[in-house]
Amino acid sequence: MRSIDIHAHLTPQCFWHATEKGGDWHSLRREQDVRGQEVAVVGGKRQILPPKARWTPEQRLADMDSLGVDVHVVSPYVGFYNYQLDTKQALATSQATNDEIAEMVRGWPQRFAGLGTVPMQDVKTAIDELDRCMTKLGLKGIEINDHVNGRTLEEPEFRPFWKAVEQLGALVFFHQSGDTMVTARSARYHLPNSIGNLADRAVTFATLVHGGVMDAHPDLKIVLGHGGGYTCYGIGRMDHGWKVRAEARVHAPNPPSAYLRRFYYDCIVYTEPALRFLIDTVGVDRVVFGTDWPYDMALDWPVSWIMAMESLTPDEKDAILWKNLERLLNL
Ligand SMILES: [Zn+2]
């Protein structure tokens, strides 16, 4: 039995080093809050970084061993997408992060695979860096936000991006950052994360499907983080909307449910009935193991959690824990 984790983040050492004595990393800064917690300062916004976010690859490997996780498909910390920055600055942070992930993969090829980050605010630059990730650095794809400064990913300016993604065979891992669409309604009770992440992901599914991206690019490999959010639970209503409203059908010849199996979904749904429902809705070959390491929202003992489930067969557990990702990523 193996386990391959598609949802494990990296706050790059180059950020920690550059900000060690109060310096900045391409305009990003770091400070400590009143409780002594490390805080990244991006623009005017402050984001708490957990102690593990500073760990070296060796410390990470020891933690993976204790959790029974064999491989991290390392993806960047989502607070550093930097789509709001000047393209040159954002590209510098992307390149440094991607180089560092590639170095981890080179150092421990049996334990790490990598996803990069690209400056999506400038599609041409994003494609160039995506190409570098895939052809020079040996990464498996990239992680991107559910929107680029408010623009969803089916908008016309992103069509060259999807074409390049498909041609390069890159996996795209969708993961929100900081503010979600829930933030404007209520930023209290941790709702922008606990509900907003799931709402953002359902909108990503729906906009790619209704917007025609999935029909234009049949070979895309897309993983929706956090179990695809509310996608599966809400798919019946999306189908009904497609049936009764012409505007829902303009670019999508098939009902949204026909596209469910075009995506992959990580297993971060927290309860066994929810995971069973996800498997029964999209098929077990579309569900992949993810943990959200190293944050407080991560699954606590992820491998044991899956292994202890009574409603999953041994074959289903193997598919989720490693077989699907081994096949998808050629590991
Ligand atoms: Zn995450």
Side-chain angles (χ1 to χ4, degrees):
M1 206 270 303
R2 302 179 68 200
S3 61
I4 304 170
D5 181 355
I6 189 75
H7 195 145
H9 300 290
L10 172 80
T11 307
Q13 292 294 326
C14 45
F15 162 77
W16 292 104
H17 293 150
T19 56
E20 203 58 83
K21 294 196 170 80
D24 75 293
W25 184 61
H26 309 289
S27 85
L28 279 56
R29 293 188 300 107
R30 174 160 62 94
E31 54 189 42
Q32 290 192 339
D33 69 8
V34 285
R35 286 188 288 175
Q37 299 180 105
E38 297 289 347
V39 179
V41 187
V42 182
K45 300 215 166 106
R46 285 169 166 69
Q47 309 161 3
I48 292 171
L49 299 168
K52 282 185 189 179
R54 194 175 186 154
W55 282 4
T56 62
E58 289 83 357
Q59 290 171 303
R60 174 191 284 254
L61 285 164
D63 203 45
M64 288 162 63
D65 289 342
S66 82
L67 292 165
V69 173
D70 298 299
V71 179
H72 269 180
V73 184
V74 176
S75 56
Y77 167 52
V78 298
F80 294 170
Y81 282 129
N82 297 335
Y83 300 159
Q84 77 290 350
L85 292 183
D86 164 74
T87 300
K88 255 194 189 156
Q89 266 182 327
L91 178 63
T93 64
S94 293
Q95 287 177 330
T97 304
N98 299 339
D99 287 346
E100 195 168 314
I101 292 173
E103 206 174 298
M104 290 171 71
V105 176
R106 271 197 304 276
W108 293 271
Q110 305 301 319
R111 304 300 304 274
F112 296 128
L115 298 174
T117 182
V118 299
M120 291 295 292
Q121 64 270 52
D122 183 306
V123 172
K124 192 187 171 307
T125 307
I127 292 171
D128 289 345
E129 181 59 9
L130 170 68
D131 185 84
R132 194 178 77 95
C133 287
M134 298 300 293
T135 61
K136 302 249 165 42
L137 298 183
L139 303 186
K140 299 292 185 184
I142 54 166
E143 175 190 49
I144 65 175
N145 197 356
D146 292 285
H147 65 92
V148 179
N149 301 321
R151 302 277 287 174
T152 43
L153 275 294
E154 90 284 19
E155 296 285 5
E157 68 264 32
F158 300 117
R159 291 310 167 100
F161 166 78
W162 288 117
K163 199 172 165 201
V165 164
E166 189 179 41
Q167 280 174 349
L168 289 162
L171 180 138
V172 172
F173 174 44
F174 270 101
H175 191 303
Q176 80 296 328
S177 167
D179 288 351
T180 58
M181 69 178 74
V182 168
T183 310
R185 179 68 56 83
S186 174
R188 285 176 284 177
Y189 319 123
H190 202 42
L191 297 188
N193 181 302
S194 62
I195 291 182
N197 292 3
L198 307 188
D200 270 10
R201 206 61 22 75
V203 170
T204 289
F205 170 87
T207 47
L208 292 178
V209 165
H210 286 290
V213 173
M214 304 312 289
D215 281 293
H217 304 287
D219 293 329
L220 291 178
K221 295 187 286 190
I222 297 177
V223 175
L224 300 174
H226 305 119
Y230 297 127
T231 298
C232 286
Y233 195 70
I235 197 69
R237 190 173 177 87
M238 281 186 243
D239 272 8
H240 192 79
W242 180 87
K243 197 168 73 182
V244 300
R245 296 297 174 104
E247 74 259 36
R249 296 191 296 272
V250 172
H251 308 292
N254 301 297
S257 60
Y259 299 85
L260 281 172
R261 286 181 50 71
R262 294 283 310 282
F263 295 80
Y264 294 84
Y265 307 78
D266 75 26
C267 69
I268 306 176
V269 294
Y270 304 95
T271 70
E272 182 168 346
L275 185 60
R276 185 69 251 172
F277 178 70
L278 177 63
I279 295 166
D280 291 339
T281 306
V282 304
V284 72
D285 58 327
R286 295 279 149 176
V287 182
V288 294
F289 184 61
T291 67
D292 223 342
W293 197 94
Y295 300 105
D296 56 358
M297 293 300 283
L299 299 171
D300 288 331
W301 292 97
V303 178
S304 317
W305 179 61
I306 299 273
M307 290 305 287
M309 289 185 181
E310 290 179 357
S311 69
L312 270 65
T313 67
D315 282 352
E316 287 177 326
K317 290 173 185 175
D318 275 349
I320 293 170
L321 283 171
W322 62 278
K323 279 189 175 168
N324 292 340
L325 281 172
E326 189 182 68
R327 190 182 60 243
L328 181 63
L329 297 173
N330 268 327
L331 292 174

